[in-house]
Amino acid sequence: MPVIEKLNIVVTGGAGFIGSHLCDRLVQKGHAVTCLDNLDTGRFDNVRPLLNHPNFRFVEADVRDPLSIDGPVDRIYNLACPASPPHYQRDPIGTVKTCVLGALHVLELARATGARVLQASTSEVYGDPEIHPQPESYRGAVNTTGPRACYDEGKRCAEALFFDYRRLYGVPVKVARIFNTYGPRMLENDGRVISNFVVQALRNRPITLYGDGSQTRSFCYVADLLDGLELLMESDDAITGPINLGNPREVTVEEIARMVLRQTGSRSPITYRPLPEDDPRRRRPEIAAAARALGWAPRVALEDGLKSTIDDFAMRVATPVSPASNSAEPPAGLTAAARPARKRRAALSAVGSSA
Ligand code: NAD
Ligand code: UDP
């Protein structure tokens, strides 16, 4: 993808798992990047290596508040939102506000600056789908009153706002429906399946399989996802999405457990836990639209992506720790990642170079 010009790019949620990889990539391509994050589920360490870069700045801010950015803005990637079920269910009302007010505020920022804006939407807009695989035309089956609704309905409302801002104000919008994405830098206590299984396997702790493990997901490696996000952002204005970005290889959760055990050589036993309420039974993206509109398809095989993910976790969790800190349960209160970050809050409110 040739870089045509140096762009001023805001990445909300830029200290998180996907956002920090995106910041890395955009800075490497010569763009001026403002990472905006409240460090809820993000880690300052994810962007620390970028701080001395003249084209990078970190702004600690919350998308639930109106946003203002010094200087011009050409692109906004709106990634700010906890993505793991235990994290987004920890403060469900806060999650709705992050999805809805966050969308409103980035759209206002786009309107004020003339920027193009991309929303990180989700396969969760399809809920527990009755159609398989899921095309963009499918309108979904979300339980509006269940524990996942704060995220699912929040993201659906955000999509509605994006298209209303386009219709009413002509804001150039892009909506990506991201399917399960994994890779290096996921939090140890993130609570999602791949991070849980890898951490548990590396520590020889029991692998926590929810339900009977027959539910399916389709896992996309983070580098593939970034290719898709960038292609969508830089596509013609007429291409708005929503567009599915995900890997169509579908596996059961039990298969994932066995792959992780095999690739780590772990002695962990598998233990069965209750299936969380409203856990979707099947999920696989239909990606013909992404292929057609963007020429995009994922390239990284699950086995290879898992290897990189395992290698990354192995460096972080090599030392076995007490069972309490290896919990697969939602963390109580703040995340382990957020606690030290918040202590540093005063020092961090705006760090790095002016972009
Ligand atoms: P993540 O939790 O690692 O990153 C989210 C980032 O947003 C964190 O840095 C967090 O601190 C920040 N954040 C949360 N609330 C905020 C707020 N109110 N104001 C400012 N910053 C805030 O999650 P991720 O996996 O990197 O996901 C990034 C985005 O992609 C999310 O919007 C998520 O909904 C979407 N998505 C991810 C997946 C996936 O499988 N990873 C799938 C579908 C959609
Ligand atoms: N899951 C599991 N064990 C875990 C974490 C998750 O069996 O320790 C299951 C979960 O019930 C779901 C699937 O793995 O069926 C994917 O869960 P994740 O939270 O990663 O993503 P989502 O449900 O949002 O797709």
Side-chain angles (χ1 to χ4, degrees):
M1 198 181 320
V3 170
I4 301 155
E5 54 182 323
K6 176 177 175 178
L7 297 168
N8 297 291
I9 304 181
V10 174
V11 181
T12 76
F17 158 53
I18 296 172
S20 62
H21 285 289
L22 182 61
C23 288
D24 278 352
R25 186 186 277 216
L26 295 172
V27 167
Q28 274 163 25
K29 288 188 170 177
H31 297 301
V33 175
T34 300
C35 165
L36 189 152
D37 204 294
N38 71 352
L39 297 176
D40 176 11
T41 53
R43 287 193 310 176
F44 192 65
D45 282 350
N46 285 341
V47 291
R48 193 184 296 282
L50 291 172
L51 281 183
N52 289 329
H53 198 288
N55 282 343
F56 181 80
R57 67 177 165 176
F58 176 81
V59 175
E60 187 171 1
D62 195 306
V63 294
R64 289 169 287 198
D65 300 324
L67 304 172
S68 77
I69 296 286
D70 291 338
V73 181
D74 304 304
R75 305 279 187 267
I76 307 167
Y77 287 88
N78 185 33
L79 270 59
C81 187
S84 153
H87 288 295
Y88 68 66
Q89 290 172 25
R90 172 167 43 87
D91 174 13
I93 296 168
T95 298
V96 172
K97 288 181 180 170
T98 291
C99 292
V100 178
L101 295 178
L104 202 61
H105 293 142
V106 298
L107 286 160
E108 282 298 329
L109 181 64
R111 196 177 158 206
T113 57
R116 186 181 291 179
V117 56
L118 182 147
Q119 166 68 359
S121 191
T122 168
S123 53
E124 287 286 325
V125 301
Y126 302 123
D128 189 6
E130 304 119 322
I131 290 185
H132 195 76
Q134 293 81 54
E136 291 84 351
S137 56
Y138 177 50
R139 294 191 181 171
V142 173
N143 174 7
T144 60
T145 60
R148 296 174 87 102
C150 58
Y151 182 77
D152 300 8
E153 293 296 342
K155 290 282 188 177
R156 286 169 69 95
C157 184
E159 287 198 8
L161 281 168
F162 267 65
F163 284 91
D164 281 334
Y165 266 71
R166 176 178 163 85
R167 276 187 290 267
L168 291 176
Y169 305 122
V171 171
V173 300
K174 311 275 182 183
V175 174
R177 289 186 180 155
I178 302 171
F179 283 64
N180 297 64
T181 300
Y182 71 101
R185 288 193 196 158
M186 294 184 90
L187 288 180
E188 231 178 288
N189 66 347
D190 180 81
R192 283 179 275 192
V193 66
I194 289 197
S195 45
N196 271 5
F197 286 0
V198 171
V199 172
Q200 290 160 348
L202 289 172
R203 289 178 172 157
N204 289 312
R205 305 287 312 164
I207 301 282
T208 53
L209 203 59
Y210 300 164
D212 63 5
S214 64
Q215 69 272 33
T216 68
R217 294 293 185 272
S218 304
F219 294 96
C220 185
Y221 189 63
V222 63
D224 281 336
L225 176 74
L226 295 186
D227 290 344
L229 291 178
E230 266 196 286
L231 283 166
L232 177 58
M233 180 63 107
E234 299 310 324
S235 63
D236 191 272
D237 268 358
I239 300 173
T240 58
I243 208 154
N244 288 342
L245 294 178
N247 191 316
R249 176 174 169 192
E250 184 182 2
V251 289
T252 67
V253 169
E254 182 175 357
E255 280 174 82
I256 279 289
R258 302 214 177 276
M259 284 175 78
V260 169
L261 286 172
R262 214 168 29 247
Q263 287 195 221
T264 52
S266 169
R267 300 185 306 277
S268 293
I270 291 182
T271 58
Y272 291 84
R273 300 269 180 92
L275 191 67
E277 193 179 339
D278 291 336
D279 199 278
R281 284 158 299 165
R282 306 176 76 186
R283 185 181 289 155
R284 172 152 65 101
E286 171 61 70
I287 59 166
R292 208 169 39 244
L294 311 175
W296 179 84
R299 289 180 296 196
V300 179
L302 183 53
E303 289 75 5
D304 298 336
L306 265 184
K307 183 177 180 324
S308 309
T309 309
I310 290 167
D311 289 348
D312 174 63
F313 271 117
M315 285 189 294
R316 290 189 273 151
V317 301
T319 319
V321 295
S322 66
S325 59
N326 188 27
S327 170
E329 307 303 330
L334 293 177
T335 65
R339 270 183 231 113
R342 284 183 185 210
K343 279 190 205 146
R344 291 192 299 266
R345 172 158 295 191
L348 294 184
S349 52
V351 227
S353 312
S354 304

